[in-house]
């Protein structure tokens, strides 16, 4: 059993054991997105132990392990299901478990319209399904809209919507044609150099006032993809009017509104889905990451009239496999039974207020933003100009790892904090201590 309140002081990573694993992985795996040479032996709750015996407080994986690492009820449900069946070709055959999980997932999504769900294995696959559902059901509409700063996945369709880093797209042209991007409501660094609210939400209104008048016939647009809070792009929370206006424009022009909840969904913002903060509903909702507590589960919930409705128009192999279904069911049960959405709201408020206190003391912290336990801290070289300082951010990041706190970067110069929803107050205090120490050293 791992200690729940480790006394983390100074961690040398990678240690001797870890170094050899890093070398083997580097030789064997294609290049991915490694952030730090932490070599994991086991993980429980929010604590990760590496192969050299170092303990880390994990403030990254709540994005995926919402219920904490290896929650006993999730582990038990997976083990029990593995004994019954692992794979029955769920897209081809039927099971009570698949029916139950589908019904549960549908219930997560707000809105009065009847819904259906496509089960898959990842966020990018859920977004691919959304592209296909929109195009299949709106055959005269081929265009798609998305936002600068967005991340919707890395497969070629979803990648055509993604626009958060050059590294994601470089060398992959041609992308899917007829995808148009608009600047997102990035108020902290407004792309139009305007100020909220005197801007009158120009970043949303521009869609109808310029785009639809000058180069995008709205009746050719099948769908608009929107992250309710931009994740990879920097944990950007748009003002509520932005989402309301975009939603309204989509509705009036018969455009499917796709609410990508892959990162922001499943409780971490203090609501089950982040769109609930904005009081609107979507036509299609890609889900993944936290839905399976670490097991690969993706889902696309669509209005019933966006169902493919024809055998073979869309399907897959592993969607609805036994382990994924058991993990999703147990995850949603644990979140409900333990009141974890409410925990995220309460702990998130506490964490944000403490981060704002840090911001008062350290001018390098330009912005603290987010909702619930989805919090971004943006580092700047100058508060007045809000100039991003990625080098400083990277030094703080390295300091956090050195002192045993796992965090991830996002956007130009931000760190993202997404502890599991089971995070304790003391663990937040410990993370704050480590962050402060890393900032002092940076
Ligand atoms: C909002 C959003 N959509 C889609 C994806 C892609 O998910 P996956 O990596 O599971 O394909 C991500 C991953 O970070 C994401 O944050």
């Amino acid at each position: 059993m791992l200690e729940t309140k480790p006394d983390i002081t100074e961690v040398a990573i990678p240690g001797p054991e870890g170094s050899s694993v890093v070398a083997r992985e580097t030789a064997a795996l294609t290049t991915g997105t490694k952030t730090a040479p932490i070599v994991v032996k086991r993980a429980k709750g929010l604590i990760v132990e590496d192969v050299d015996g170092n303990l880390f407080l994990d403030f990254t994986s709540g994005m995926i392990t919402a219920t904490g690492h290896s929650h006993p009820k999730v582990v038990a449900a997976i083990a029990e299901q593995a004994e019954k069946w692992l794979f029955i070709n769920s897209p081809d055959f039927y099971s009570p478990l698949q029916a139950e999980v589908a019904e549960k997932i549908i219930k997560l999504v707000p809105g009065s319209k009847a819904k259906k769900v496509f089960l898959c294995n990842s966020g990018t696959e859920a977004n691919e399904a959304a592209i296909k559902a929109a195009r299949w059901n709106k055959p005269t509409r081929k265009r798609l809209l998305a936002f600068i700063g967005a991340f919707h996945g890395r497969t070629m369709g979803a990648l055509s919507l993604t626009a958060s880093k050059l590294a994601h797209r470089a060398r992959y042209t041609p992308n899917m044609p007829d995808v148009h991007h608009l600047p997102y409501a990035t108020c902290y660094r407004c792309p139009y150099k305007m100020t909220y609210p005197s801007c009158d939400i120009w970043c949303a209104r521009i869609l109808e006032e310029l785009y639809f008048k000058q180069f995008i016939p709205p009746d050719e647009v099948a769908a608009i993809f929107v992250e309710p809070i931009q994740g990879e792009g920097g944990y950007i929370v748009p003002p509520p009017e932005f989402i309301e206006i975009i939603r309204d424009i989509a509705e009036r022009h018969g455009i499917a509104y796709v609410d990508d909840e892959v990162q922001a969904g499943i409780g971490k913002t203090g609501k089950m889905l982040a769109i609930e903060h904005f009081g609107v509903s979507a036509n299609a909702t890609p889900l993944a990451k936290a839905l399976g507590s670490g097991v690969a589960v993706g889902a696309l919930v669509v209005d019933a009239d966006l169902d493919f409705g024809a055998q073979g128009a869309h399907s897959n192999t592993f969607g609805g496999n036994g382990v994924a279904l058991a993990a999703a069911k147990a995850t949603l049960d644990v979140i409900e039974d333990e009141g974890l959405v409410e925990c995220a709201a309460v702990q998130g408020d506490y964490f944000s207020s403490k981060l704002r206190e840090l911001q008062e003391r350290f001018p390098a912290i330009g912005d603290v933003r987010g909702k619930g336990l989805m919090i971004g801290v943006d580092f700047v070289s100058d508060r007045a100009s809000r100039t991003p300082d990625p080098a400083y951010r990277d030094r703080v990041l390295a300091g956090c790892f050195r002192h045993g706190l796992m965090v991830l970067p996002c956007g130009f110069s931000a760190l993202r904090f997404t502890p599991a929803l089971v995070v304790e107050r003391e663990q937040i205090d410990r993370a704050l201590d480590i962050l402060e120490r890393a900032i002092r050293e940076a």
Side-chain angles (χ1 to χ4, degrees), residues 122-125 127 151-153 227 232 260 262-263 288-289:
S122 67
T124 202
E125 200 187 341
N127 276 294
F151 191 91
H152 297 291
E227 282 171 275
E232 184 71 26
D260 183 344
V262 168
Q263 184 150 170
K289 291 201 192 290

Side-chain angles (χ1 to χ4, degrees), residues 63-64 121-127 150-155 158 162 226-233 235 259-265 286-289 296-298 374 416:
M63 210 192 297
I64 292 101
N121 310 281
S122 67
T124 202
E125 200 187 341
N127 276 294
F151 191 91
H152 297 291
R154 294 173 185 274
T155 49
T162 288
V226 191
E227 282 171 275
I229 296 175
Q230 272 192 347
E232 184 71 26
Y235 278 31
D259 170 42
D260 183 344
E261 296 270 353
V262 168
Q263 184 150 170
L287 295 162
K289 291 201 192 290
V297 191
M374 182 176 184
R416 54 182 134 171

Side-chain angles (χ1 to χ4, degrees), residues 49 52 60-62 71 75 77 85 118 127 136 157 180 211 225 230-231 259 276 302 333 337 348 400 422 430:
E49 184 185 354
D52 290 287
T60 69
S61 58
H71 191 289
V75 173
W85 56 266
F118 167 70
N127 276 294
W136 172 262
H180 310 282
Y211 283 54
F225 286 72
Q230 272 192 347
D259 170 42
E276 294 170 46
V302 285
D333 286 346
D337 296 348
C400 287
V422 293
R430 167 68 68 180

Side-chain angles (χ1 to χ4, degrees), residues 35-152:
T35 302
I38 293 175
V39 181
V40 179
K41 182 175 168 192
R42 53 189 176 157
K44 190 87 190 156
L46 272 86
I47 308 299
V48 170
E49 184 185 354
D50 80 0
V51 290
D52 290 287
N54 297 308
L55 295 180
F56 297 85
L57 192 48
D58 185 358
F59 270 48
T60 69
S61 58
M63 210 192 297
I64 292 101
T65 56
T67 55
H69 288 293
S70 296
H71 191 289
K73 289 191 178 153
V74 177
V75 173
I78 291 170
E80 198 183 312
Q81 178 57 33
E83 288 290 335
K84 290 185 191 155
W85 56 266
L86 283 172
F87 184 77
I88 52 141
N89 215 341
S90 293
D92 287 74
F93 306 117
Y94 298 79
S95 72
L97 181 59
Q98 180 161 241
E100 186 185 352
V101 171
E103 287 160 2
K104 261 182 180 298
I105 292 175
I106 286 170
K107 282 205 192 100
L108 303 177
V109 177
S112 52
K113 285 188 169 174
K115 311 260 181 228
K116 291 194 159 196
V117 62
F118 167 70
L119 295 176
C120 55
N121 310 281
S122 67
T124 202
E125 200 187 341
N127 276 294
E128 293 288 341
I131 295 169
K132 291 178 74 177
R135 282 200 171 164
W136 172 262
N137 286 288
K138 299 177 189 285
T140 60
R141 295 168 177 250
K142 297 294 174 205
R143 297 177 192 265
L144 300 169
L145 299 175
F147 289 89
I148 296 173
F151 191 91
H152 297 291

